[in-house]
Amino acid sequence: MMPQVPLATHHKEINMAQQIKHVGKNGDRKVLVLYREVPGDEHMCLVIYPEVLNASWQDAIQKVVESEVGQQANQLADALHRSFLPDGRAILETLHQERMIKKVRTSDVIMTPSVNAGVRLDELNKLINKMNEGADAMKQMEENEASRGMVDPSVKRAAEAKYKGEQLAKQQAAEARFQEADTFAAPADGVLSDRAIAANMLAQAKRMEVEANSMIAEAARMKKDAERMVPGVNPAEATWTPPVAEAPKRRGRPAKAAVSDASN
């Protein structure tokens, strides 16, 4: 174990009004908290005791603690991992190899961000965890809002106009197809054989099958487009419904009204 050497007296003094993270006490001993919680053992933390380090190590580590990188780090270990001792060795790895990192209970550590402020580390962890949960919830809410069709109105109107134009063109093309006469081409003698009739029926069935498959594929594409435009949209919200074809009128003479026999 390395000899205990008093803290270096020549490092930068901290302004009493300045808030410094990662600094605390375990009893009467100063500690630097490398990890506020141990994964799977959250009531414990990992610390080092600067008083047992030599002066050059103390200065190097204190500079990291007070640096912008150290103060922005959620865990001091992250900043120490990227920093080096005067001899060129990585600070965190060296502290681990020299067995300077100790595991203590969070309830036994008092964090001292300033001279006149102190809070137990276990209480601080609870507060930070709640804040992190709130930030995660806010981020999730923002993502949900973004996925509900919060798009530029002009983009949405252009997509709607394009969709309506495509639907009108398809409807007109379908009407033109169905208005074509579905007649059989009769041979020169004017008589169609059963084979010719069956072949024509099969050709019509194939054409109808192709059109049906095309409509099914188009319906699937429309569903995807609608879902991309406004995720979670419900068909019940539609303000327009496709027209229903009228039932064909019955041909022939109307049925005669029943006349009652007036004779007695």
Side-chain angles (χ1 to χ4, degrees):
M1 181 174 179
M2 297 184 63
Q4 295 189 7
V5 180
L7 284 170
T9 58
H10 59 277
H11 68 73
K12 178 174 60 176
E13 292 293 334
I14 301 175
N15 188 315
M16 293 180 62
Q18 186 179 0
Q19 298 285 318
I20 300 295
K21 293 168 58 177
H22 315 302
V23 180
K25 288 184 177 181
N26 181 16
D28 294 332
R29 302 177 67 185
K30 178 181 177 179
V31 294
L32 295 177
V33 180
L34 274 60
Y35 288 100
R36 293 183 293 100
E37 292 178 331
V38 177
D41 203 5
E42 285 74 14
H43 70 289
M44 305 295 288
C45 63
L46 297 180
V47 305
I48 59 173
Y49 296 94
E51 64 187 27
V52 304
L53 306 177
N54 63 47
S56 63
W57 286 28
Q58 291 180 39
D59 284 340
I61 294 174
Q62 190 65 29
K63 287 179 181 178
V64 176
V65 172
E66 298 175 7
S67 69
E68 183 178 358
V69 173
Q71 290 302 294
Q72 289 182 352
N74 186 40
Q75 305 283 7
L76 178 57
D78 296 336
L80 295 179
H81 178 69
R82 302 191 297 269
S83 304
F84 301 91
L85 294 169
D87 59 10
R89 291 183 293 171
I91 294 178
L92 185 63
E93 182 179 355
T94 304
L95 290 173
H96 174 69
Q97 292 174 347
E98 297 291 340
R99 300 182 182 274
M100 293 295 164
I101 302 176
K102 306 300 179 182
K103 188 176 181 179
V104 299
R105 290 182 299 183
T106 57
S107 58
D108 292 339
V109 175
I110 303 297
M111 302 303 294
T112 55
S114 64
V115 176
N116 299 321
V119 58
R120 266 176 34 181
L121 180 55
D122 57 341
E123 297 295 335
L124 178 62
N125 285 342
K126 292 178 182 177
L127 178 61
I128 293 176
N129 291 338
K130 287 183 179 179
M131 292 173 61
N132 290 338
E133 290 174 0
D136 292 341
M138 180 62 69
K139 182 179 179 181
Q140 183 64 44
M141 186 184 303
E142 292 174 352
E143 291 176 353
N144 291 342
E145 289 296 330
S147 67
R148 289 176 184 167
M150 304 291 287
V151 297
D152 187 271
S154 61
V155 175
K156 189 172 182 179
R157 286 194 296 269
E160 291 175 348
K162 180 180 178 182
Y163 164 75
K164 291 177 181 179
E166 291 176 350
Q167 296 309 303
L168 178 59
K170 289 172 184 175
Q171 181 179 357
Q172 291 173 345
E175 291 176 352
R177 285 198 304 270
F178 286 109
Q179 286 173 358
E180 295 174 357
D182 294 328
T183 58
F184 298 138
D189 57 6
V191 179
L192 285 172
S193 66
D194 290 345
R195 186 177 186 84
I197 295 174
N200 278 279
M201 292 175 62
L202 182 59
Q204 288 188 20
K206 287 292 184 182
R207 189 190 69 182
M208 294 172 65
E209 184 178 3
V210 170
E211 292 176 347
N213 290 335
S214 176
M215 294 179 67
I216 292 174
E218 179 62 19
R221 186 193 67 79
M222 289 168 57
K223 289 179 180 179
K224 291 181 180 179
D225 289 346
E227 186 65 24
R228 281 195 295 265
M229 184 182 297
V230 181
V233 64
N234 192 324
E237 302 173 17
T239 57
W240 175 86
T241 55
V244 179
E246 296 181 0
K249 296 181 179 180
R250 297 180 60 183
R251 296 182 178 180
R253 298 173 62 185
K256 293 181 178 180
V259 180
S260 60
D261 190 357
S263 59
N264 293 326

